[in-house]
């Protein structure tokens, strides 16, 4: 209890000062997150993410111009813990984290997928089906932007707001098999996927940013809801030494 009070008072003093950057402490926190991704956070519903493994995943997408349904078996996502930061800053006045991070390679693989696709393209409808091995790689997937951390109160959880992040993709590689049970169709669709993802991500920043925010922020807030404001700020400011383990907690 006494330690918590000391930390809390120190944070009040720090908050009265000018905004500063605490890159070293922030990077220490990101390294701990990288380690913990090997174990997940089961108590808060966060699965193992390095790698992420899903035994079976059903897909059902429907819009005015695109429909897709089917499933993936033994889906594995690798590279989520490979992130590299070229910028990582904390503003103590605005409680804002600014960052520029890159994932050198994220791979999505499934030992067997089964998909039926119906889409409208160039004024006409076309349908495709696939049953084979799914293999997709995202090369240099970059996120650049900022978000704000706000406390619910001094002693309860925190949450993320004002998520402003842009995403860029250098290249996509697809080697999926079994499209229309044809090697020719598979090659054509793999080439189309590469071009489509390039256009989708790099030419539609607002839509992609909104999609990624809906994907990332809600589970982040679930985890942060269990962390007090003074605790997470103390870690960022480096006020408590040795609070972050050097090994993952499983």
């Amino acid at each position: 209890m006494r330690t918590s009070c000391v930390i809390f008072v120190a944070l009040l003093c720090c908050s009265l000062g000018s905004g500063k950057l605490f890159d070293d402490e922030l990077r220490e926190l990101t390294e701990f997150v990288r380690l913990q991704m090997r174990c997940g956070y089961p108590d808060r519903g966060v699965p193992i993410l390095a790698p992420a493994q899903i035994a079976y995943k059903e897909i059902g997408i429907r819009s005015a111009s695109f429909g897709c349904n089917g499933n993936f078996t033994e889906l594995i996502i690798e590279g989520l813990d490979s992130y590299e930061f070229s910028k990582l800053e904390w503003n103590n006045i605005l409680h804002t984290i600014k960052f520029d991070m890159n994932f050198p390679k994220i791979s999505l693989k499934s030992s067997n997928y089964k998909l039926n696709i119906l889409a409208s393209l160039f004024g006409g409808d076309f349908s495709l089906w696939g049953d084979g091995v799914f293999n997709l790689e995202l090369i240099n997937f970059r996120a650049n932007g900022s978000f704000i951390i706000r406390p619910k109160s001094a002693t309860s959880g925190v949450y993320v707001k004002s998520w402003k992040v842009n995403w860029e993709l250098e290249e996509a590689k697809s080697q999926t098999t079994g499209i229309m049970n044809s090697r020719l169709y598979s090659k054509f669709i793999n080439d189309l996927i590469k071009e489509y993802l390039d256009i989708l991500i790099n030419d539609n920043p607002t839509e992609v940013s909104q999609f990624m925010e809906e994907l990332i922020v809600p589970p982040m807030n679930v985890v942060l809801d269990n962390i007090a404001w003074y605790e997470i700020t103390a870690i960022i400011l480096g006020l408590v030494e040795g609070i972050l383990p050097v090994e993952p907690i499983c």
Side-chain angles (χ1 to χ4, degrees):
M1 180 67 180
R2 179 177 296 178
T3 302
S4 299
C5 292
V6 171
I7 293 173
F8 184 62
V9 172
L11 292 176
L12 288 177
C13 295
C14 289
S15 297
L16 296 175
S18 60
K20 295 182 180 180
L21 308 182
F22 297 88
D23 295 334
D24 291 342
E25 287 74 16
L26 270 175
R27 291 182 188 276
E28 183 181 352
L29 178 58
T30 64
E31 287 304 312
F32 168 68
V33 171
R34 191 197 308 274
L35 289 172
Q36 196 61 31
M37 289 174 75
R38 304 173 189 172
C39 304
Y41 192 0
D43 291 344
R44 304 301 296 177
V46 180
I48 294 172
L49 297 173
Q53 302 184 54
I54 304 172
Y56 181 83
K57 177 66 176 179
E58 290 192 359
I59 300 293
I61 303 172
R62 181 71 61 180
S63 69
S65 59
F66 181 80
C68 175
N69 64 79
N71 59 76
F72 292 88
T73 301
E74 296 179 352
L75 179 63
I76 299 176
I77 305 174
E78 298 180 301
L80 295 177
D81 61 336
S82 68
Y83 51 78
E84 302 170 344
F85 284 93
S86 59
K87 177 181 180 181
L88 188 59
E89 302 175 355
W90 165 257
N91 186 300
N92 194 39
I93 299 296
L94 302 177
H95 302 156
T96 301
I97 291 180
K98 296 182 179 180
F99 67 95
D100 190 338
M101 66 185 298
N102 183 59
F103 296 89
K105 183 174 75 172
I106 297 177
S107 67
L108 299 88
K109 298 179 181 179
S110 171
S111 62
N112 180 244
Y113 78 95
K114 300 179 188 295
L115 292 178
N116 292 293
I117 299 172
L118 178 63
S120 298
L121 186 65
F122 305 125
D125 295 334
F126 74 93
S127 61
L128 289 170
W129 59 268
D131 185 346
V133 175
F134 183 81
N135 191 335
L136 176 66
E137 292 183 353
L138 305 179
I139 307 300
N140 287 328
F141 192 33
R142 179 189 175 209
N144 177 31
S146 66
F147 61 88
I148 295 174
I149 295 179
R150 283 284 187 263
K152 292 184 176 181
S153 71
T155 57
S156 65
V158 300
Y159 66 98
V160 170
K161 64 171 292 185
S162 298
W163 179 271
K164 299 177 181 178
V165 181
N166 294 318
W167 298 82
E168 299 176 4
L169 178 66
E170 180 180 302
E171 183 183 7
K173 297 180 179 180
S174 180
Q175 300 181 44
T176 298
T177 68
I179 300 173
M180 303 295 286
N181 198 29
S182 166
R183 293 179 63 183
L184 183 61
Y185 266 106
S186 296
K187 183 180 186 308
F188 172 73
I189 296 301
N190 282 326
D191 291 340
L192 186 63
I193 289 173
K194 293 190 293 184
E195 296 298 327
Y196 176 74
L197 287 176
D198 178 32
I199 295 173
L200 175 67
I201 295 175
N202 296 323
D203 294 353
N204 298 276
T206 301
E207 291 81 359
V208 172
S209 178
Q210 181 178 352
F211 172 79
M212 296 300 289
E213 179 178 0
E214 294 172 355
L215 181 68
I216 295 173
V217 173
M220 280 183 64
N221 283 335
V222 169
V223 175
L224 292 173
D225 188 55
N226 200 41
I227 303 175
W229 169 248
Y230 70 86
E231 291 174 327
I232 193 168
T233 312
I235 294 172
I236 293 175
L237 300 182
L239 295 176
V240 181
E241 296 294 333
I243 193 171
L244 294 177
V246 295
E247 297 289 340
I249 302 173
C250 295

